[in-house]
Amino acid sequence: MTGRILLSSPHMGGTEQKYIQEAFDTNWIAPLGANVDGFEKELATYVNAKAASATSSGTGAIHLALDILGVQAGDTVFCSTLTFIASANPILYLGATPVFIDSEESTWNMSPQALGRALSKAKENDTLPKAVIIVNLYGQSARMDELMAICNEYDVPIIEDAAESLGSLYKGKYSGTFGKLGIYSFNGNKIITTSGGGMLVSEDEHLITHSRFLATQARDAAKHYQHSVVGYNYRMSNVVAGIGRGQLEVLDQRITQKREIFSRYEKAFSSIDGITMMPELEGTFSNRWLSTMTLNTEKVKITPYELIDLLAEANIEARPVWKPLHMQPLFAESEFYPHSEDQIVSEELFANGICLPSDTKMTIEEQQKVIDVILTAI
């Protein structure tokens, strides 16, 4: 890498072009083809899922998941608040109402305490949600045992948003495979990329078959073009899937590199009172997609935004932790359940968190430059 030190950018493995060329040689340029079939099977095998369907984006995969579960206008869907807006926008696509659930400190992900209170109240009001979207932030799995037990108690299905956590493990099981449906993203900044794309996975092969039907404009089985339900144009192209097949070959290598980057930051800042790296829950294995930390501004002399600006002056890209969705203008009227009566964890993480350069093409010398700027600023 030369010039600007980036947060997380595409990193090709070297075999992607082979699969792309095969698509050109066979003239399978449009959606469907050997690369789509191969990518679906290879990713499903990797995460030990029964079935997978390649989509044009992770957002599209969430939209399909909600549709498959019967979400429609007037329904509610619970969703992690500390996440990118793509986790919740598809709720609005279907005319449903989002209810946001706070984070907890040990994973930065959905708080079982908050979810339990939210579902209890919804049960009392006869307004149980059609689904709960649980996000695995920055590669760290949520407390899935506790969250699944709560959702099972109320018979509410889980959609696991594993857009950022492909390859991560929770008690030996792959992130994205706990819910009724799981999704991955292959956006340009993800741990592997297809430039843009996603994947829907499930243990229920019938759900995945139905998702493919909906993703190809919901065309009925007839010689002519006939449509009885609303469909979408959400299938991944065969060319893009070729990139994904090549990228999947280097996923384990990228995870190792991401974790090494995190470890170097962790070691460099271990003696600094006021810097806390994102935790890794016992029994889990994070892909460390982005190395993130929080600053205690009572103990260090700089705020996250000031540090981001200082890094930018040194041609280094960093960014804040996601702004919680319940704080977004779009969702200003949405219901929100905090972690506890006296603590809103997601707002604390947003106020104090920073995402550090985690690019797998970054050299050790470049990462040391990032570290030096931060140590000087602190």
Side-chain angles (χ1 to χ4, degrees):
M1 183 189 294
T2 58
R4 185 168 173 78
I5 299 175
L6 299 174
L7 190 74
S8 183
S9 68
H11 189 176
M12 295 296 101
T15 61
E16 295 86 359
Q17 194 62 50
K18 175 188 72 173
Y19 295 106
I20 295 170
Q21 191 60 51
E22 287 176 2
F24 275 78
D25 290 343
T26 58
N27 203 37
W28 280 103
I29 304 301
L32 306 182
N35 282 334
V36 173
D37 295 341
F39 191 30
E40 291 175 342
K41 291 175 183 177
E42 289 153 12
L43 187 133
T45 298
Y46 183 94
V47 300
N48 297 321
K50 281 190 178 178
S53 177
T55 59
S56 56
S57 69
T59 310
I62 295 174
H63 190 184
L64 288 168
L66 291 168
D67 194 327
I68 290 166
L69 294 178
V71 175
Q72 54 190 336
D75 291 332
T76 59
V77 175
F78 289 4
C79 181
S80 301
T81 192
L82 192 60
T83 181
F84 181 50
I85 199 167
S87 299
N89 269 340
I91 300 170
L92 302 185
Y93 299 168
L94 292 164
T97 300
V99 173
F100 295 109
I101 311 298
D102 200 10
S103 303
E104 53 89 27
E105 294 173 299
S106 63
T107 63
W108 294 19
N109 292 316
M110 187 177 284
S111 163
Q113 295 95 314
L115 177 63
R117 291 198 314 275
L119 284 172
S120 177
K121 182 178 178 182
K123 175 72 171 179
E124 291 176 8
N125 296 334
D126 196 26
T127 56
L128 282 172
K130 278 291 185 70
V132 175
I133 300 174
I134 298 173
V135 180
N136 298 320
L137 200 68
Y138 302 131
Q140 171 62 48
S141 291
R143 287 185 169 273
M144 293 308 299
D145 281 354
E146 293 94 327
L147 295 168
M148 289 177 65
I150 295 167
C151 288
N152 289 339
E153 179 183 348
Y154 292 93
D155 197 26
V156 177
I158 291 170
I159 297 171
E160 195 179 357
D161 182 348
E164 302 172 358
S165 60
L166 177 61
S168 298
L169 296 166
Y170 177 88
K171 298 185 178 180
K173 184 176 170 69
Y174 279 101
S175 177
T177 64
F178 287 85
K180 189 75 171 178
L181 292 149
I183 75 101
Y184 301 107
S185 171
F186 309 114
N187 191 34
N189 64 1
K190 295 301 186 289
I191 196 160
I192 62 171
T193 183
T194 58
S195 77
M199 192 77 74
L200 190 63
V201 298
S202 180
E203 288 301 291
D204 189 332
E205 296 181 69
H206 295 292
L207 294 183
I208 295 301
T209 298
H210 186 52
S211 79
R212 294 192 184 113
F213 167 72
L214 292 175
T216 49
Q217 302 291 11
R219 181 184 176 185
D220 293 338
K223 288 186 178 180
H224 52 277
Y225 282 84
Q226 178 170 298
H227 307 270
S228 303
V229 298
V230 174
Y232 314 99
N233 184 18
Y234 278 164
R235 285 292 267 161
M236 181 180 284
S237 84
N238 198 49
V239 175
V240 165
I243 302 173
R245 297 184 75 184
Q247 285 277 281
L248 196 55
E249 293 177 4
V250 296
L251 174 56
D252 288 340
Q253 180 183 342
R254 296 291 175 261
I255 292 171
T256 297
Q257 292 171 312
K258 291 281 190 179
R259 288 182 63 87
E260 288 174 347
I261 289 168
F262 183 93
S263 293
R264 285 194 287 270
Y265 283 130
E266 188 173 45
K267 182 178 179 181
F269 304 140
S270 61
S271 63
I272 306 298
D273 187 20
I275 292 182
T276 303
M277 300 299 295
M278 183 180 185
E280 186 174 48
L281 185 69
E282 184 178 355
T284 69
F285 175 87
S286 172
N287 69 13
R288 296 297 191 191
W289 169 56
L290 289 185
S291 291
T292 57
M293 66 182 191
T294 56
L295 300 178
N296 184 331
T297 53
E298 294 181 357
K299 296 181 178 181
V300 297
K301 60 185 180 182
I302 194 168
T303 68
Y305 276 93
E306 289 169 342
L307 182 54
I308 289 168
D309 289 342
L310 191 65
L311 288 166
E313 291 174 8
N315 210 20
I316 298 167
E317 182 183 15
R319 75 178 184 200
V321 166
W322 297 122
K323 182 177 182 178
L325 296 185
H326 73 272
M327 297 176 68
Q328 299 285 354
L330 177 62
F331 299 115
E333 303 302 318
S334 297
E335 194 172 5
F336 166 68
Y337 285 85
H339 176 62
S340 66
E341 290 183 2
D342 56 359
Q343 187 180 24
I344 302 178
V345 174
S346 57
E347 292 184 12
E348 293 175 1
L349 292 170
F350 171 58
N352 301 308
I354 179 171
C355 301
L356 301 173
S358 307
D359 199 290
T360 50
K361 300 186 302 302
M362 177 173 59
T363 66
I364 293 176
E365 291 75 21
E366 286 171 326
Q367 187 176 2
Q368 188 60 49
K369 178 183 176 181
V370 178
I371 290 168
D372 290 343
V373 170
I374 294 171
L375 289 176
T376 300
I378 298 300

